Amino acid sequence: MSFAPSAPTTSDQLLQAVETVTSITDRPEIERVEIQVADTDPLLWLAAQTGGPALYWRGRGDREARAALGAARSVNARSLEEASLTDAGDALPAGARMWLTARFDTDAEVGHEWLAFGGVRLVLPRVELRQRGRDCTLSVYILPGETAEEVMDAIGELQPPVDSDAELDLPFMRRDDPDRSEWGRMLRWAFGSFSRRRLDKVVLARRARFTFEQPVDAVALMQRLEAATPRCYHALVAPRGLTGPTFVTATPERLIRVRGAEVETEAVAGTRPRAELDATDDELRDELLSSEKDRREHAFVRSAIGAALTPLARHVETDDETTAMTLARGRHLRTGIRATLADDIGPLDVLRALHPTPAVGGTPTRQSLDAIRRLEPFDRGLYAGPIGWIGRDDDGQQSADVSVGIRSGLVNQRTLSLYSGAGIVPGSTPSAEWAEIEHKIGDFARVLGLAERIEA
């Protein structure tokens, strides 16, 4: 339901709209009231708000960005298997989204820094700012039976955006988990598992934790990431508001995109950096495309995704050729995969089947997860987990867009923890995989102005 501006302030406009909707006592469905507002940067708007949960999202290649605040309705579950959209997603109005976050491994012990994020969460926000080009709207979601008084507090507390000139000071300390010697021990364990044929591939990750003199501004980080990493998904999640733990990601990898019965996904594995000189850059691309080790790693991912989709779909189609996904600072092998879902199969069913893919876990899945729990000296939390939304397009069709939360960091007061991993297969070497992760962490650190603290 949309309303033209007719009051002197945004809050007054929304209150008028809410009162109009809530005056109808028999409302069996979730309602959205929406007003047009001046062109507003969703990140700057979000930075001005208090409370939580707070979220920002821009899909890969999308012109549209959204910032969300509060929770009109939420679904909290221990795992994707236990999560359900019954009486939530089915009742969403056209254009509405429930924002999804999920831990990489819901069976792993939860680190204290990740406690605020829960296991699996789907949140329908109370208030949402949507920017598409120069068109901008502000929406409030109202549940069946809610009165105007029950939603007025959220509206009354909304603040106008303010320009951000926040600077990020250089950190004074960096700690790596694992350190280089422990990394070598981890890979030797993996090589032993390969030789005994217990594992075919395992993705092992590192965490680089930077400590600053002052609290880190998560919005300023997100602004820099978005400007420096085109062709990526960009997301920020702060379950307790921006003064609490905040997860940020600039990830190139799609997990699923759903519209109606059609689903798109992709196998992404294998990495090379970019080079400034065109000739050198072309050599790195050709090296990636011809690398036996990288193509073998990529094949594990492609085969596993196809096998997981087949029981859920009437038809599965895979690209004939593997190509190079070219980003601002790196390249990956990519194969596109599409499917037409069977009746009564929804986005959550697909997520349960696909996550974790061998691109972030390994193969076989159970054994690789056991290895990650045993070897990694930290909790991954949302790193490499699903992050995105499930809801309805503007025309009312079932839809979803969910990324894999790699190339990510956790802001917690004066610390910034950066996470990245590498696929370990027979033929990997500890030094090469250490260098690959250092390149990924270094790229993330550079766009945040941390070049002086990249080297461990």
Side-chain angles (χ1 to χ4, degrees):
M1 186 175 297
S2 299
F3 293 81
S6 58
T9 70
T10 297
S11 293
D12 288 343
Q13 295 170 33
L14 280 177
L15 287 172
Q16 177 186 358
V18 168
E19 288 174 350
T20 300
V21 170
T22 54
S23 66
I24 304 171
T25 57
D26 184 18
R27 289 180 287 106
E29 298 180 348
I30 296 171
E31 296 282 353
R32 180 180 69 185
V33 298
E34 181 180 84
I35 62 170
Q36 294 286 330
V37 295
D39 186 22
T40 304
D41 184 323
L43 266 177
L44 296 182
W45 176 84
L46 193 66
Q49 311 311 318
T50 59
L55 182 139
Y56 172 79
W57 171 268
R58 186 187 295 273
R60 190 176 73 187
D62 285 358
R63 293 178 60 240
E64 178 183 292
R66 297 197 190 197
L69 185 70
R73 171 168 287 173
S74 60
V75 174
N76 297 282
R78 186 177 178 277
S79 66
L80 284 170
E81 285 69 29
E82 296 178 8
S84 172
L85 285 173
T86 304
D87 300 327
D90 292 344
L92 292 178
R97 299 174 174 181
M98 293 196 76
W99 299 101
L100 166 74
T101 58
R103 286 173 53 80
F104 167 76
D105 183 359
T106 53
D107 289 331
E109 182 178 353
V110 180
H112 67 88
E113 69 271 29
W114 294 105
L115 289 173
F117 294 87
V120 176
R121 285 184 176 167
L122 286 137
V123 176
L124 177 69
R126 176 62 78 189
V127 183
E128 187 175 72
L129 181 73
R130 176 182 181 182
Q131 181 193 52
R132 185 175 181 85
R134 299 189 63 83
D135 181 61
C136 204
T137 60
L138 191 63
S139 302
V140 175
Y141 290 94
I142 307 171
L143 303 184
E146 280 192 313
T147 64
E149 289 73 17
E150 290 178 278
V151 297
M152 280 182 177
D153 285 346
I155 298 172
E157 294 176 359
L158 293 179
Q159 300 296 319
V162 294
D163 289 336
S164 174
D165 57 358
E167 293 293 331
L168 179 62
D169 295 331
L170 289 176
F172 65 84
M173 184 173 68
R174 169 177 169 169
R175 171 178 172 173
D176 283 85
D177 298 306
D179 62 19
R180 187 132 193 184
S181 62
E182 181 66 11
W183 176 253
R185 189 194 69 80
M186 289 166 59
L187 264 67
R188 287 191 296 273
W189 185 95
F191 298 151
S193 292
F194 297 152
S195 65
R196 293 188 294 273
R197 298 191 176 182
R198 294 178 180 175
L199 287 173
D200 296 315
K201 172 187 175 180
V202 62
V203 178
L204 295 177
R206 290 169 45 207
R207 177 182 67 185
R209 176 170 288 177
F210 297 88
T211 303
F212 297 76
E213 294 284 358
Q214 301 295 327
V216 179
D217 187 323
V219 169
L221 298 189
M222 192 74 256
Q223 286 177 308
R224 294 188 186 185
L225 279 174
E226 194 165 32
T229 55
R231 300 186 296 278
C232 286
Y233 288 94
H234 297 99
L236 175 153
V237 182
R240 295 175 181 167
L242 290 169
T243 58
T246 304
F247 180 74
V248 295
T249 181
T251 172
E253 188 170 342
R254 167 174 289 159
L255 187 53
I256 61 168
R257 176 71 173 99
V258 177
R259 180 170 171 81
E262 302 303 315
V263 61
E264 299 176 29
T265 183
E266 59 195 14
V268 178
T271 302
R272 288 294 185 281
R274 299 290 306 278
E276 292 186 7
L277 295 176
D278 289 344
T280 306
D281 197 45
D282 290 344
E283 289 176 3
L284 288 170
R285 180 200 60 209
D286 295 342
E287 178 184 304
L288 174 64
L289 288 169
S290 62
S291 167
E292 179 186 354
K293 179 260 182 187
D294 288 289
R295 294 188 75 89
R296 184 167 64 250
E297 179 186 344
H298 181 81
F300 286 132
V301 181
R302 185 180 62 240
S303 298
I305 291 174
L309 281 176
T310 297
L312 307 179
R314 295 195 294 268
H315 173 71
V316 178
E317 179 184 355
T318 302
D319 286 352
D320 293 334
E321 294 186 6
T322 295
T323 60
M325 174 192 282
T326 301
L327 305 171
R329 298 176 183 271
R331 280 193 179 90
H332 306 284
L333 294 176
R334 179 190 182 275
T335 303
I337 302 170
R338 295 158 296 283
T340 301
L341 300 176
D343 294 341
D344 300 324
I345 298 296
L348 272 178
D349 300 305
V350 183
L351 288 176
R352 294 184 190 109
L354 292 185
H355 178 73
T357 73
V360 291
T363 186
T365 300
R366 183 180 62 80
Q367 288 87 338
S368 63
L369 291 178
D370 288 343
I372 290 168
R373 294 179 198 130
R374 171 176 176 167
L375 296 173
E376 291 182 356
F378 57 88
D379 174 23
R380 289 192 179 190
L382 298 191
Y383 163 67
I387 179 168
W389 59 269
I390 297 175
R392 298 193 178 278
D393 281 341
D394 289 338
D395 60 6
Q397 275 202 100
Q398 168 186 261
S399 59
D401 198 3
V402 182
S403 66
V404 183
I406 56 174
R407 306 295 174 91
S408 58
L410 177 66
V411 175
N412 197 349
Q413 295 297 317
R414 296 189 303 113
T415 65
L416 169 63
S417 298
L418 301 182
Y419 301 84
S420 195
I424 312 302
V425 296
S428 297
T429 64
S431 59
E433 303 305 335
W434 178 274
E436 177 180 321
I437 294 178
E438 195 65 16
H439 169 75
K440 294 174 181 176
I441 290 175
D443 279 349
F444 199 111
R446 283 185 185 91
V447 302
L448 301 180
L450 304 180
E452 289 82 352
R453 292 294 188 272
I454 290 174
E455 294 301 326

